[in-house]
PDB file of all heavy atoms in Angstrom:
ATOM      1  N   THR R 163       6.254  18.044   4.897  1.00 98.00           N
ATOM      2  CA  THR R 163       4.865  17.623   5.115  1.00 98.00           C
ATOM      3  C   THR R 163       4.061  18.662   5.905  1.00 98.00           C
ATOM      4  O   THR R 163       4.629  19.463   6.648  1.00 98.00           O
ATOM      5  CB  THR R 163       4.849  16.272   5.865  1.00 98.00           C
ATOM      6  OG1 THR R 163       5.715  16.368   6.987  1.00 98.00           O
ATOM      7  CG2 THR R 163       5.309  15.148   4.962  1.00 98.00           C
ATOM      8  N   TRP R 165       0.511  19.861   8.424  1.00 98.00           N
ATOM      9  CA  TRP R 165       0.094  19.541   9.793  1.00 98.00           C
ATOM     10  C   TRP R 165      -1.230  18.789   9.869  1.00 98.00           C
ATOM     11  O   TRP R 165      -1.665  18.427  10.953  1.00 98.00           O
ATOM     12  CB  TRP R 165      -0.003  20.823  10.634  1.00 98.00           C
ATOM     13  CG  TRP R 165      -0.727  21.952   9.961  1.00 98.00           C
ATOM     14  CD1 TRP R 165      -0.147  23.041   9.372  1.00 98.00           C
ATOM     15  CD2 TRP R 165      -2.138  22.103   9.780  1.00 98.00           C
ATOM     16  NE1 TRP R 165      -1.123  23.864   8.830  1.00 98.00           N
ATOM     17  CE2 TRP R 165      -2.346  23.306   9.071  1.00 98.00           C
ATOM     18  CE3 TRP R 165      -3.256  21.355  10.143  1.00 98.00           C
ATOM     19  CZ2 TRP R 165      -3.610  23.779   8.714  1.00 98.00           C
ATOM     20  CZ3 TRP R 165      -4.514  21.811   9.788  1.00 98.00           C
ATOM     21  CH2 TRP R 165      -4.682  23.005   9.092  1.00 98.00           C
ATOM     22  N   LYS R 189      11.124  16.829   7.016  1.00 98.00           N
ATOM     23  CA  LYS R 189      10.891  18.086   7.747  1.00 98.00           C
ATOM     24  C   LYS R 189       9.387  18.177   8.008  1.00 98.00           C
ATOM     25  O   LYS R 189       8.610  18.570   7.138  1.00 98.00           O
ATOM     26  CB  LYS R 189      11.360  19.265   6.876  1.00 98.00           C
ATOM     27  CG  LYS R 189      11.789  20.498   7.626  1.00 98.00           C
ATOM     28  CD  LYS R 189      10.765  21.100   8.557  1.00 98.00           C
ATOM     29  CE  LYS R 189       9.750  21.967   7.842  1.00 98.00           C
ATOM     30  NZ  LYS R 189       8.641  22.403   8.741  1.00 98.00           N
ATOM     31  N   GLU R 192       5.729  22.583  11.461  1.00 98.00           N
ATOM     32  CA  GLU R 192       6.102  23.129  12.770  1.00 98.00           C
ATOM     33  C   GLU R 192       4.916  23.235  13.734  1.00 98.00           C
ATOM     34  O   GLU R 192       5.104  23.272  14.942  1.00 98.00           O
ATOM     35  CB  GLU R 192       6.794  24.490  12.635  1.00 98.00           C
ATOM     36  CG  GLU R 192       6.021  25.558  11.875  1.00 98.00           C
ATOM     37  CD  GLU R 192       6.368  25.578  10.397  1.00 98.00           C
ATOM     38  OE1 GLU R 192       6.419  24.491   9.787  1.00 98.00           O
ATOM     39  OE2 GLU R 192       6.559  26.679   9.849  1.00 98.00           O
ATOM     40  N   GLY R 242       1.534  20.593   0.860  1.00 98.00           N
ATOM     41  CA  GLY R 242       1.232  21.824   1.596  1.00 98.00           C
ATOM     42  C   GLY R 242       0.453  22.777   0.716  1.00 98.00           C
ATOM     43  O   GLY R 242      -0.168  22.375  -0.273  1.00 98.00           O
ATOM     44  N   GLU R 243       0.532  24.035   1.070  1.00 98.00           N
ATOM     45  CA  GLU R 243      -0.246  25.054   0.352  1.00 98.00           C
ATOM     46  C   GLU R 243       0.320  25.322  -1.033  1.00 98.00           C
ATOM     47  O   GLU R 243       1.538  25.237  -1.244  1.00 98.00           O
ATOM     48  CB  GLU R 243      -0.202  26.366   1.138  1.00 98.00           C
ATOM     49  CG  GLU R 243      -1.206  26.410   2.239  1.00 98.00           C
ATOM     50  CD  GLU R 243      -1.250  27.772   2.891  1.00 98.00           C
ATOM     51  OE1 GLU R 243      -0.861  28.766   2.238  1.00 98.00           O
ATOM     52  OE2 GLU R 243      -1.662  27.836   4.052  1.00 98.00           O
ATOM     53  N   THR R 246       3.117  27.938  -1.108  1.00 98.00           N
ATOM     54  CA  THR R 246       4.404  27.398  -0.639  1.00 98.00           C
ATOM     55  C   THR R 246       5.010  26.537  -1.740  1.00 98.00           C
ATOM     56  O   THR R 246       6.224  26.588  -1.993  1.00 98.00           O
ATOM     57  CB  THR R 246       4.219  26.548   0.637  1.00 98.00           C
ATOM     58  OG1 THR R 246       3.340  27.216   1.531  1.00 98.00           O
ATOM     59  CG2 THR R 246       5.535  26.276   1.315  1.00 98.00           C
ATOM     60  N   LEU R 265      -0.823  19.788  -3.464  1.00 98.00           N
ATOM     61  CA  LEU R 265      -1.105  21.142  -2.968  1.00 98.00           C
ATOM     62  C   LEU R 265      -2.574  21.305  -2.554  1.00 98.00           C
ATOM     63  O   LEU R 265      -3.248  20.339  -2.282  1.00 98.00           O
ATOM     64  CB  LEU R 265      -0.687  22.150  -4.043  1.00 98.00           C
ATOM     65  CG  LEU R 265       0.757  21.965  -4.563  1.00 98.00           C
ATOM     66  CD1 LEU R 265       1.072  22.924  -5.695  1.00 98.00           C
ATOM     67  CD2 LEU R 265       1.773  22.123  -3.436  1.00 98.00           C
ATOM     68  N   CYS R 298      -7.288  18.090   2.601  1.00 97.00           N
ATOM     69  CA  CYS R 298      -7.012  18.647   1.267  1.00 97.00           C
ATOM     70  C   CYS R 298      -8.101  18.286   0.272  1.00 97.00           C
ATOM     71  O   CYS R 298      -8.423  19.069  -0.610  1.00 97.00           O
ATOM     72  CB  CYS R 298      -5.664  18.159   0.763  1.00 97.00           C
ATOM     73  SG  CYS R 298      -5.515  16.370   0.764  1.00 97.00           S
ATOM     74  N   GLU R 396      -9.275  28.384  -0.784  1.00 98.00           N
ATOM     75  CA  GLU R 396      -9.257  27.263   0.160  1.00 98.00           C
ATOM     76  C   GLU R 396      -9.293  27.810   1.588  1.00 98.00           C
ATOM     77  O   GLU R 396      -8.466  28.638   1.964  1.00 98.00           O
ATOM     78  CB  GLU R 396      -7.973  26.437  -0.030  1.00 98.00           C
ATOM     79  CG  GLU R 396      -7.938  25.225   0.864  1.00 98.00           C
ATOM     80  CD  GLU R 396      -6.661  24.404   0.728  1.00 98.00           C
ATOM     81  OE1 GLU R 396      -5.564  25.003   0.678  1.00 98.00           O
ATOM     82  OE2 GLU R 396      -6.743  23.170   0.670  1.00 98.00           O
TER      83      GLU R 396
HETATM   84  P1  LIG H   1       2.244  24.944   4.321  1.00 71.67           P
HETATM   85  O1  LIG H   1       2.492  25.088   2.869  1.00 71.67           O
HETATM   86  O2  LIG H   1       2.138  26.152   5.154  1.00 71.67           O
HETATM   87  O3  LIG H   1       3.381  24.053   5.002  1.00 71.67           O
HETATM   88  C1  LIG H   1       3.667  22.744   4.560  1.00 71.67           C
HETATM   89  C2  LIG H   1       5.099  22.410   4.932  1.00 71.67           C
HETATM   90  O4  LIG H   1       5.968  23.258   4.183  1.00 71.67           O
HETATM   91  C3  LIG H   1       5.445  22.641   6.396  1.00 71.67           C
HETATM   92  O5  LIG H   1       6.320  21.615   6.836  1.00 71.67           O
HETATM   93  C4  LIG H   1       6.168  23.975   6.365  1.00 71.67           C
HETATM   94  O6  LIG H   1       7.068  24.144   7.424  1.00 71.67           O
HETATM   95  C5  LIG H   1       6.902  23.871   5.046  1.00 71.67           C
HETATM   96  N1  LIG H   1       7.303  25.158   4.460  1.00 71.67           N
HETATM   97  C6  LIG H   1       6.702  26.362   4.604  1.00 71.67           C
HETATM   98  N2  LIG H   1       7.390  27.309   3.919  1.00 71.67           N
HETATM   99  C7  LIG H   1       8.425  26.682   3.318  1.00 71.67           C
HETATM  100  C8  LIG H   1       9.480  27.122   2.475  1.00 71.67           C
HETATM  101  N3  LIG H   1       9.601  28.396   2.120  1.00 71.67           N
HETATM  102  N4  LIG H   1      10.367  26.223   2.026  1.00 71.67           N
HETATM  103  C9  LIG H   1      10.249  24.917   2.378  1.00 71.67           C
HETATM  104  N5  LIG H   1       9.286  24.445   3.191  1.00 71.67           N
HETATM  105  C10 LIG H   1       8.370  25.320   3.656  1.00 71.67           C
HETATM  106  O7  LIG H   1       0.925  24.041   4.429  1.00 71.67           O
HETATM  107  P2  LIG H   1       0.147  23.649   5.750  1.00 71.67           P
HETATM  108  O8  LIG H   1      -0.591  24.857   6.221  1.00 71.67           O
HETATM  109  O9  LIG H   1       1.067  22.934   6.683  1.00 71.67           O
HETATM  110  O10 LIG H   1      -0.873  22.549   5.192  1.00 71.67           O
HETATM  111  C11 LIG H   1      -2.116  22.846   4.684  1.00 71.67           C
HETATM  112  C12 LIG H   1      -2.082  22.835   3.167  1.00 71.67           C
HETATM  113  O11 LIG H   1      -1.648  21.552   2.693  1.00 71.67           O
HETATM  114  C13 LIG H   1      -3.442  23.046   2.529  1.00 71.67           C
HETATM  115  O12 LIG H   1      -3.329  23.913   1.442  1.00 71.67           O
HETATM  116  C14 LIG H   1      -3.836  21.640   2.056  1.00 71.67           C
HETATM  117  O13 LIG H   1      -4.759  21.607   0.992  1.00 71.67           O
HETATM  118  C15 LIG H   1      -2.515  21.096   1.659  1.00 71.67           C
HETATM  119  N6  LIG H   1      -2.551  19.629   1.636  1.00 71.67           N
HETATM  120  C16 LIG H   1      -2.547  19.012   0.419  1.00 71.67           C
HETATM  121  C17 LIG H   1      -2.630  17.613   0.353  1.00 71.67           C
HETATM  122  C18 LIG H   1      -2.637  16.914  -0.981  1.00 71.67           C
HETATM  123  O14 LIG H   1      -2.415  15.702  -1.002  1.00 71.67           O
HETATM  124  N7  LIG H   1      -2.856  17.598  -2.088  1.00 71.67           N
HETATM  125  C19 LIG H   1      -2.681  16.873   1.532  1.00 71.67           C
HETATM  126  C20 LIG H   1      -2.690  17.542   2.746  1.00 71.67           C
HETATM  127  C21 LIG H   1      -2.610  18.925   2.786  1.00 71.67           C
END
Side-chain angles (χ1 to χ4, degrees):
T163 49
W165 46 258
K189 207 303 279 172
E192 55 268 46
E243 277 187 24
T246 316
L265 308 176
C298 55
E396 183 182 44

